[in-house]
Amino acid sequence: MPVLARTGRELLYGRNPVLEALRGRRSIERLFIAEGAREDERLRGLMRLATERGVEIDRIPRLMLDDATRGANHQGIALEAEPYRYAEFEDLVTAPGTVLVLDHLQDPQNVGTLFRAAEAAGVAGVVIAEDRAAAVTPAVVNASAGAVEHLHVAAVPNLARALEALKGSGRWVAGLDAGAGATNIFATEIPTPAVLVVGAEGTGLGANLRKHCDLLLALPMRGRVDSLNAATAGAIAIYELLRR
């Protein structure tokens, strides 16, 4: 398999993720464009931005890019960049606004979707677990359409302790949960800014984190299905907090 990203670097792919990475905080090494890629105005704009940042531009065979991204939908473009720059958790504690906490979500698509919603809604930051959870990988960057490049994401060893620290900043902690004791999110008073905790795929909010929540919120289900996936439910809840 061709190695386009050198040691200590990552290969981001897809036109939106590449664009947002070029606009973001990362140090960028090289921009790869597949031979034969249609050079429309969008691609020319990416190339101009790369040139402005002093980034080397290389044309490579499409099959090489296919192999390097393991068959992902790279849209004929990739970017060699430094690994994602995580935020310091303490900076999120003191930042104004709502904080999103992800309780060991592992599916890159779900995590990326929630990052995209969080960035669009202007949250102060996102907290994820250091282990047994999806990190900010190129797949997650792609799933977020590059939005995570503009988010402050902190990875912590203990989510329960993180919730207590966030409580200390004056925020209430609201857990999104469909179990007993949860109230309708649209009919519940929620002091803002808040901490919104979204549980993992399948298992939902963990028992340990549930104990650290000030209130539990559920989305009303009026159809025949009895649940939504974590990304959909979390995005709705994020925007409900924004609406308030």
Side-chain angles (χ1 to χ4, degrees):
M1 179 181 298
V3 179
L4 299 184
R6 291 166 282 198
T7 302
R9 296 291 183 265
E10 293 182 344
L11 193 66
L12 307 179
Y13 53 86
R15 298 197 178 193
N16 275 346
V18 165
L19 172 63
E20 301 309 333
L22 286 168
R23 289 173 170 170
R25 305 182 294 267
R26 298 201 204 205
S27 171
I28 307 298
E29 300 292 335
R30 292 179 293 172
L31 175 67
F32 297 105
I33 300 174
E35 293 173 353
R38 186 166 63 88
E39 196 165 310
D40 54 16
E41 183 53 39
R42 190 178 183 196
L43 181 57
R44 286 191 289 270
L46 285 170
M47 294 170 66
R48 283 195 298 270
L49 186 55
T51 300
E52 289 169 5
R53 290 198 57 177
V55 175
E56 180 183 342
I57 301 175
D58 288 343
R59 298 272 185 175
I60 62 173
R62 180 173 287 271
L63 284 177
M64 183 180 291
L65 197 52
D66 290 344
D67 288 343
T69 58
R70 302 186 180 186
N73 183 22
H74 52 69
Q75 298 177 306
I77 194 166
L79 194 67
E80 183 188 24
E82 69 170 339
Y84 184 78
R85 294 185 186 181
Y86 288 94
E88 295 294 331
F89 172 68
E90 292 74 16
D91 292 338
L92 300 192
V93 173
T94 57
T98 293
V99 173
L100 175 66
V101 176
L102 305 185
D103 182 12
H104 294 92
L105 273 75
Q106 297 182 343
D107 183 278
Q109 187 65 48
N110 283 337
V111 174
T113 298
L114 283 167
F115 284 162
R116 188 174 186 178
E119 199 284 327
V123 302
V126 183
V127 180
I128 63 174
E130 285 183 352
D131 62 349
R132 295 182 293 112
V136 184
T137 62
V140 168
V141 176
N142 185 264
S144 78
V148 70
E149 299 296 325
H150 308 296
L151 268 179
H152 298 292
V153 180
V156 299
N158 189 300
L159 289 175
R161 283 202 295 267
L163 290 185
E164 289 305 310
L166 288 164
K167 280 186 183 183
S169 69
R171 296 175 172 94
W172 278 52
V173 177
L176 195 58
D177 190 72
T183 59
N184 185 333
I185 188 173
F186 302 120
T188 303
E189 183 177 349
I190 308 169
T192 56
V195 177
L196 176 67
V197 189
V198 177
E201 303 91 346
T203 58
L205 194 61
N208 186 37
L209 288 196
R210 189 182 289 110
K211 292 187 297 185
H212 291 270
C213 293
D214 297 305
L215 65 164
L216 297 174
L217 305 171
L219 297 176
M221 305 300 297
R222 297 182 178 177
R224 295 193 178 189
V225 298
D226 61 1
S227 66
L228 295 169
N229 79 355
T232 303
I236 293 171
I238 288 168
Y239 267 89
E240 174 59 13
L241 292 179
L242 173 63
R243 184 188 67 83
R244 296 177 185 223

